[in-house]
Amino acid sequence: MTAGLGVLLRIQWRVRRRAIVTWVVALTASMIGTAVSIASLYDTPEKIQTYASAVTSTALLAINGRVEGLNSLGGVIQDEFGFLAAFIMPLLGISLMTSLTRGEEQAGRHEALLSGRISRHMPVLAASLVTSAAIGLTGIGFTIGLVAEGVPFVGAMLYSLSLMTLAFSFAGLAAVLAQLTLHARNVYALSLLILAVSYVVRGVGDVTGSWLTWLSPLGWAEKTAPFGPQRWWVLAIPLAAGIASTTLAVTLAARRDLGSALVQGGVGPDHASTRVRTGLGLAVWIHRPAIVGWTAGALILAAMMGSLAQQLLDAMASNPALADAIGASGGRPEDGFMAMTLLYLAVIASGYVVQAIGTLRGEESSGRLEAFIGTGMARRTWLFNHVVVIVGGLVMLTIAGSLTLAGTAALSTGSSSAFGSVVAGGIAYLPADLVLAGVALALYGYRPEAFSVAWAAYAITAFVALLGPGLQLAGWMEDLAPTTHIGDPPVGSPQLVPLLILGFTVMILLWAAFAGFSRRTVPRT
Amino acid sequence: MTTPSHSPSHSPSDTPAVIRADGLIKDFGSARALNGLDLEVGHGEVHGFLGPNGAGKSTTIRIVLGLMKATAGRVELFGGDPWREATTLHQRLAYVPGDIALWPGLTGGQCLDILSATHGGLPQSSRDDLIDRFDLDPTKRVRDYSKGNRQKVVLIAALAADVDLLILDEPTSGLDPLMEQTFQDCVRERRADGCTVLLSSHILGEVEALADRVTIIRRGQTVTSGTLAELRRHTRTTVHAVTIDRPDGLEVAPGVHSSACNPIDGHVDCRLSIDADRLDDVVGRLHAARIHTLTVTPPSLDTLFLERYRDEPEGDDMIAAQTGAGNSTAAAS
């Protein structure tokens, strides 16, 4: 039954250890970061009490969940980490499981392995164990971090276990989906769709205080109430769901053909359309999924925040510390809230550009770039086409996100006076996004093998933007993120000199990217 | 429809077949990839498995390996059911897939060790020996390897494994002629050790150089199967002779399919296409006309292959025949 399990575990760890370590370290760091910032902001029982009475609004219930035991430090941390945890914990499970199962199979690397002394279902089982180990390490890191900040051990452990079982249940889901669909990207898309539905169901359940919450995996994590009545038995639900789905996945894997899926792809057109045959048209076709996906994410966030604007303003009015924690302090509260959301949109937008530019590496390593520049298309033309399309997508995403935020906020507050300044503020972030695009392009042009540096730059930007206000980072650390130099519109207004410096930086990086790309060897991956 | 021309008695050994497939059918949705395919690989033989692209070679191999389940038909590997007993049966074989996929971030040596771990590890000596013979740098990352070097990694992992059966799916598609030679040497050595080899290929020269028996398939069905000699018996040999006198009765001699004799430079230049087993009579007639030069070309696998497909009524698809098979020639004066 377990033929080849040990061998396969070693192989999976060997080929994915970098991703596993990155996940564990990043998640533990973000949890500890949140805990540190909360512990310093709410350092007396009185302050914690004000937090508890402030976050009863519908909007916060929808976003962070209905947390029990808010009158404790742990409860505040659970509430504040709620939004982030709801997405990154499931993503941990989905990402590792998908890459180790369908990802490897799709790349064709299971064929040689399964001709050895390894059963067909063993990759899924091994992937589940490896993913569970990564989840376990993350949970241990969580518990240690929470206890270090003064959260009682038992509560910290139950909270960590609730997040671990959340990740585990989504890993199980991804394992099943990996048996049903032929491509890893479909596993991601379907898992994220189910995650989004779970989030909405949990939100509706929490706002209405109904049993709906119990239908969502995110609700199960919440109902363990680690800082309230501590319902340990609830852990059994995600655990059972995870074990059942993993067992189903293992059974399906044992019964199906290698390289097959229950849902097979259809046939495509036998000719490329004339549009796709042009360099620019092909670039559009290549980047369209990224543009559509990231724009959809931006629109959902903008619409959600915008439509909850009034409720959030009410919550902040009764708790100034809340405004501090989410980085929306200073000036008029409505401006502060809009500024915070625009910053989030800028983080999404720069994530899109870095990812889109990263796909150029894929074009190169798969040999498709050579096919183009080997047939008469100048290198610069090829790169230029892609830059035009990627930047076009960025502008589209930014404008659509800002318009959605401004529009939904106007509906929620009943006043459209801020409409123009919100849209203008959103557009003002473009130079900051372009700096990250420039960094990514310059790396691609000169040293594509070091492209992970672009992701590191993005991670720093996102960290400063999302957690900087709560952590009260030093000025120079805040300045590392290009988004800091935009001036926090619409609270502040963008200043000419920083914008000029950002613009100049973009120009230099772009020039460097093209210069490097036309000189270096191709392919270089 | 051509019926398979082989029978079990042609098996070169009395021991049961290593691989036996009867009437394999495999459907992918509405598409039928295999349509009643038969394959029998005897113990200790190198068995060439030939067919154009899309004929079903890789699908057959995956079913034999138990990576896929046949829709219908029977398949046996070492007398067992590969779908149910895959891991037990896999202990006795090594496989080189048609599409080589390795981990781009690891070195060739690391990939080699990972692949061989699935076969229970390699003897260090044969690992080093093969790395040397195939001239592979195991310290380079896979992403920096050419296609041929990636192929070498998988080949070495399979050839070094201590197994009874090698299943090779177009194993040399990225190799240069020198490495192709090394590959052929290694396969011969493994065969001498008693290892059975199933060699899928569309490089006919390679199969001709290595195979004891071949199976030719097309559109998911076995077209023919047998030893090369058996297959050649049913095909035509080309004869080119220059004689002093005009030979008598060549046109009407038994087994002659076409002949053309023209006077050139005071000699007679004759070109004939004859049944392979009717050579004796024709050479006798040529001898009577006093031979100046004589070239007899037995059918190469190429012509055999092309002829088999030409026989098919729906001979519309591309033949993947790569030429280059050696023509054995005999010249006399």
Side-chain angles (χ1 to χ4, degrees):
Chain A
M1 239 345 244
T2 56
L5 183 59
V7 172
L8 209 45
L9 285 175
R10 282 204 303 280
I11 292 174
Q12 293 192 346
W13 161 248
R14 182 62 198 77
V15 300
R16 275 290 176 282
R17 62 186 179 190
R18 197 182 289 185
I20 292 169
V21 170
T22 309
W23 267 107
V24 171
V25 170
L27 286 192
T28 311
S30 61
M31 162 61 97
I32 293 177
T34 308
V36 169
S37 88
I38 302 294
S40 64
L41 276 171
Y42 299 94
D43 48 1
T44 65
E46 292 72 36
K47 286 188 188 167
I48 290 174
Q49 207 57 52
T50 57
Y51 183 94
S53 51
V55 295
T56 52
S57 77
T58 318
L60 287 173
L61 284 179
I63 293 173
N64 291 332
R66 188 184 285 275
V67 173
E68 295 169 77
L70 271 178
N71 52 359
S72 67
L73 176 62
V76 178
I77 292 173
Q78 186 190 351
D79 196 51
E80 284 292 311
F81 197 54
F83 176 72
L84 195 58
F87 290 95
I88 60 177
M89 291 310 295
L91 260 179
L92 164 70
I94 293 166
S95 155
L96 288 182
M97 181 61 90
T98 308
S99 60
L100 286 170
T101 54
R102 183 54 75 173
E104 286 288 292
E105 180 169 344
Q106 184 189 335
R109 289 189 283 258
H110 276 170
E111 184 156 4
L113 295 185
L114 293 186
S115 71
R117 301 166 195 186
I118 293 172
S119 318
R120 284 183 301 274
H121 60 273
M122 206 47 69
V124 186
L125 191 57
S128 176
L129 291 176
V130 169
T131 307
S132 302
I135 294 171
L137 284 175
T138 311
I140 292 171
F142 282 0
T143 310
I144 294 172
L146 288 167
V147 170
E149 287 304 311
V151 177
F153 174 71
V154 175
M157 192 163 82
L158 179 54
Y159 179 42
S160 304
L161 281 171
S162 74
L163 294 180
M164 287 157 66
T165 49
L166 170 64
F168 180 67
S169 60
F170 272 93
L173 171 74
V176 173
L177 291 175
Q179 308 309 313
L180 302 184
T181 64
L182 212 46
H183 297 285
R185 63 163 189 272
N186 295 337
V187 181
Y188 280 113
L190 285 169
S191 313
L192 292 179
L193 184 70
I194 291 171
L195 175 57
V197 171
S198 307
Y199 186 73
V200 170
V201 168
R202 200 270 307 135
V204 172
D206 281 347
V207 168
T208 57
S210 70
W211 49 268
L212 265 180
T213 305
W214 287 96
L215 294 184
S216 163
L218 297 167
W220 302 334
E222 181 180 300
K223 290 294 181 188
T224 56
F227 307 106
Q230 298 190 333
R231 300 181 199 99
W232 288 84
W233 63 268
V234 178
L235 290 178
I237 304 174
L239 211 55
I243 291 172
S245 50
T246 307
T247 311
L248 175 63
V250 168
T251 315
L252 289 173
R255 292 186 180 185
R256 72 178 174 87
D257 291 348
L258 176 72
S260 73
L262 258 66
V263 185
Q264 299 278 0
V267 292
D270 64 344
H271 283 290
S273 68
T274 32
R275 200 169 54 79
V276 174
R277 287 187 214 178
T278 65
L280 206 57
L282 184 64
V284 170
W285 186 80
I286 287 170
H287 296 294
R288 194 174 54 186
I291 295 174
V292 170
W294 287 90
T295 304
L299 293 188
I300 289 169
L301 178 82
M304 190 178 79
M305 297 302 244
S307 51
L308 296 172
Q310 190 57 50
Q311 284 95 328
L312 271 164
L313 290 176
D314 296 344
M316 283 195 280
S318 54
N319 178 17
L322 176 66
D324 281 338
I326 59 177
S329 59
R332 300 188 309 160
E334 53 268 46
D335 285 347
F337 173 58
M338 286 297 124
M340 175 197 81
T341 311
L342 287 178
L343 185 57
Y344 287 3
L345 284 179
V347 170
I348 292 180
S350 17
Y352 150 72
V353 279
V354 175
Q355 197 229 331
I357 293 166
T359 58
L360 298 183
R361 283 188 72 206
E363 290 296 299
E364 181 165 351
S365 62
S366 61
R368 288 190 288 269
L369 166 58
E370 286 165 80
F372 274 105
I373 63 178
T375 53
M377 184 188 272
R379 287 182 182 205
R380 284 163 179 273
T381 314
W382 180 85
L383 189 59
F384 181 76
N385 285 337
H386 281 277
V387 171
V388 165
V389 171
I390 291 170
V391 172
L394 170 69
V395 172
M396 203 184 75
L397 183 158
T398 305
I399 293 178
S402 310
L403 283 174
T404 307
L405 177 65
T408 50
L411 285 176
S412 169
T413 58
S415 151
S416 59
S417 60
F419 192 93
S421 65
V422 170
V423 175
I427 293 170
Y429 273 106
L430 280 175
D433 302 333
L434 286 174
V435 169
L436 281 168
V439 170
L441 269 175
L443 281 163
Y444 176 69
Y446 270 103
R447 289 182 60 84
E449 64 274 19
F451 193 78
S452 50
V453 173
W455 281 111
Y458 173 70
I460 292 171
T461 305
F463 180 80
V464 169
L466 300 178
L467 292 174
L471 291 174
Q472 294 168 322
L473 295 174
W476 67 268
M477 286 178 77
E478 297 247 8
D479 285 344
L480 285 177
T483 44
T484 309
H485 304 280
I486 299 299
D488 207 23
V491 172
S493 54
Q495 298 300 308
L496 189 61
V497 175
L499 283 189
L500 280 178
I501 295 174
L502 287 179
F504 188 62
T505 314
V506 172
M507 287 301 162
I508 291 182
L509 287 168
L510 273 182
W511 175 82
F514 277 88
F517 184 64
S518 35
R519 273 170 223 164
R520 74 169 166 86
T521 42
V522 169
R524 178 167 159 177
T525 44
Chain B
M1 206 67 259
T2 317
T3 44
S5 60
H6 79 280
S7 64
S9 61
H10 284 142
S11 193
S13 161
D14 290 338
T15 48
V18 173
I19 296 171
R20 188 199 301 272
D22 290 318
L24 280 191
I25 290 176
K26 179 65 184 175
D27 293 331
F28 294 113
S30 57
R32 178 153 285 193
L34 299 183
N35 190 14
L37 184 135
D38 303 303
L39 173 69
E40 188 175 316
V41 179
H43 184 80
E45 70 180 13
V46 175
H47 194 102
F49 193 35
L50 292 163
N53 295 329
K57 298 191 294 288
S58 296
T59 303
T60 307
I61 285 176
R62 286 178 184 140
I63 291 174
V64 165
L65 283 167
L67 300 176
M68 282 182 179
K69 195 176 197 311
T71 309
R74 263 165 41 87
V75 60
E76 275 182 14
L77 175 64
F78 297 117
D81 176 353
W83 181 255
R84 288 163 192 273
E85 307 160 47
T87 45
T88 327
L89 300 174
H90 286 178
Q91 295 183 11
R92 299 176 61 185
L93 65 86
Y95 168 49
V96 172
D99 288 318
I100 308 290
L102 298 169
W103 298 269
L106 303 187
T107 65
Q110 285 174 318
C111 288
L112 185 52
D113 290 341
I114 284 179
L115 291 176
S116 44
T118 67
H119 295 296
L122 298 185
Q124 185 67 35
S125 56
S126 46
R127 180 187 190 270
D128 293 345
D129 175 51
L130 283 168
I131 284 178
D132 193 45
R133 286 172 71 180
F134 276 101
D135 193 23
L136 177 78
D137 177 359
T139 61
K140 262 180 136 177
R141 302 225 174 251
V142 167
R143 69 162 67 92
D144 299 324
Y145 272 153
S146 64
K147 184 179 184 223
N149 277 323
R150 289 200 292 271
Q151 193 109 33
K152 287 180 196 173
V153 172
V154 187
L155 266 179
I156 292 173
L159 288 170
D162 181 21
V163 290
D164 303 329
L165 170 64
L166 285 172
I167 297 184
L168 312 173
D169 192 358
E170 301 190 1
T172 59
S173 51
L175 296 187
D176 62 38
L178 211 61
M179 288 303 138
E180 165 77 40
Q181 200 53 53
T182 308
F183 164 75
Q184 292 188 8
D185 293 344
C186 289
V187 169
R188 284 192 195 96
E189 285 164 25
R190 294 313 314 269
R191 182 181 180 275
D193 296 341
C195 184
T196 307
V197 181
L198 176 62
L199 172 66
S200 143
S201 182
H202 52 216
I203 303 175
L204 302 172
E206 178 178 285
V207 173
E208 199 162 35
L210 290 172
D212 303 302
R213 296 204 312 144
V214 299
T215 295
I216 299 180
I217 68 163
R218 180 181 193 235
R219 298 191 170 190
Q221 287 180 325
T222 307
V223 175
T224 187
S225 178
T227 65
L228 287 176
E230 280 168 350
L231 295 183
R232 283 189 177 130
R233 195 171 305 149
H234 304 293
T235 55
R236 292 162 198 176
T237 295
T238 345
V239 176
H240 178 209
V242 178
T243 51
I244 312 289
D245 306 324
R246 193 170 188 89
D248 264 351
L250 275 182
E251 302 80 3
V252 295
V256 172
H257 290 270
S258 67
S259 69
C261 292
N262 300 302
I264 290 174
D265 296 340
H267 296 307
V268 183
D269 184 282
C270 297
R271 290 172 188 274
L272 304 107
S273 167
I274 63 170
D275 283 342
D277 49 355
R278 300 300 186 124
L279 192 60
D280 186 47
D281 185 49
V282 169
V283 172
R285 287 169 197 265
L286 290 170
H287 187 255
R290 294 195 290 157
I291 294 173
H292 179 62
T293 68
L294 174 66
T295 311
V296 178
T297 313
S300 71
L301 206 43
D302 289 39
T303 41
L304 199 143
F305 201 62
L306 289 163
E307 224 162 72
R308 284 291 159 184
Y309 289 139
R310 207 174 295 127
D311 291 348
E312 295 289 312
E314 70 287 57
D316 50 349
D317 56 355
M318 278 286 297
I319 307 297
Q322 266 177 260
T323 48
N327 292 344
S328 28
T329 40
S333 58

